[in-house]
């Protein structure tokens, strides 16, 4: 159960109508502070629709963060979004093996590097130099910044979601049911 009240579109006034229109619990919670909701939304939407980073790689990075953070809301939503942006069920199975079990899979090397870099940032607060150097062989400095920004944003968002205890909506719960997080 969420720690803050969810606003509904009926609660909207001119200050928060746009963020509540997203129609998800994250914004129903953040909509209590329209400026914060709008700030989160702006960066999240930029990462999703304007970033030049390959969408599948971005989603693999976000899924890695959600998995490591054990953030059910983020994980469920980005399993669904990942499928929309090129992640396959095979990718998801391999990501889970890489993250949960530390197993080296047959994911292509760049995807494995993205998962490793995202995991290092989520666990250690920064990407290891060896991982940075290896990724830099594939991504120019602008794409590296976009990757780091995406991972950092979703690390922060996971902490917001978990601390506010934002509930997974029923339509997203089906993805969590099919692809559950490991027990803590």
């Amino acid at each position: 159960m969420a720690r803050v009240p969810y606003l509904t579109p009926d609660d909207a006034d001119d200050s928060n109508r746009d963020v509540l229109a997203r129609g998800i619990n994250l914004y129903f919670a953040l909509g209590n502070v329209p400026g914060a909701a709008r700030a989160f939304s702006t960066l999240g939407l930029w990462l999703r629709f304007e970033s030049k980073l390959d969408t599948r790689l971005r989603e693999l990075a976000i899924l890695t963060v959600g998995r490591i953070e054990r953030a059910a809301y983020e994980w469920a939503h980005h399993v669904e979004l990942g499928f929309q942006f090129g992640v396959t069920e095979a990718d998801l199975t391999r990501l889970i093996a890489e993250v949960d079990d530390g197993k080296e899979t047959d994911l292509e090397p760049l995807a494995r590097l993205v998962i490793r870099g995202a995991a290092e940032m989520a666990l250690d607060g920064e990407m290891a130099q060896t991982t940075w150097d290896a990724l830099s062989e594939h991504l120019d400095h602008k794409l590296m910044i976009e990757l780091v920004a995406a991972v950092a944003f979703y690390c922060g968002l996971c902490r917001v979601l978990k601390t506010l205890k934002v509930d997974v909506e029923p339509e997203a719960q089906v993805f969590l049911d099919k692809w559950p997080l490991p027990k803590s």
Side-chain angles (χ1 to χ4, degrees), residues 14-36:
D14 289 342
S15 70
N16 59 13
R17 189 175 325 282
D18 59 328
V19 294
L20 294 180
R22 295 277 315 269
I24 57 176
N25 288 344
L26 168 62
Y27 290 101
F28 294 156
L30 290 179
N32 287 282
V33 182

Side-chain angles (χ1 to χ4, degrees), residues 34-98:
R38 198 168 291 101
F40 268 90
S41 181
T42 298
L43 182 52
L45 292 173
W46 182 86
L47 288 166
R48 186 177 303 166
F49 297 114
E50 296 180 46
S51 170
K52 303 298 183 221
L53 184 63
D54 177 85
T55 57
R56 176 178 164 268
L57 293 176
R58 181 198 66 229
E59 289 301 318
L60 290 174
I62 294 167
L63 286 162
T64 299
V65 169
R67 190 116 188 129
I68 287 171
E69 295 283 346
R70 304 295 192 258
Y73 190 96
E74 196 60 40
W75 175 256
H77 277 266
H78 280 274
V79 168
E80 178 180 16
L81 287 168
F83 292 148
Q84 294 173 20
F85 286 107
V87 173
T88 65
E89 288 197 10
D91 289 338
L92 204 51
T93 299
R94 290 177 180 103
L95 180 142
I96 291 168
E98 297 257 346

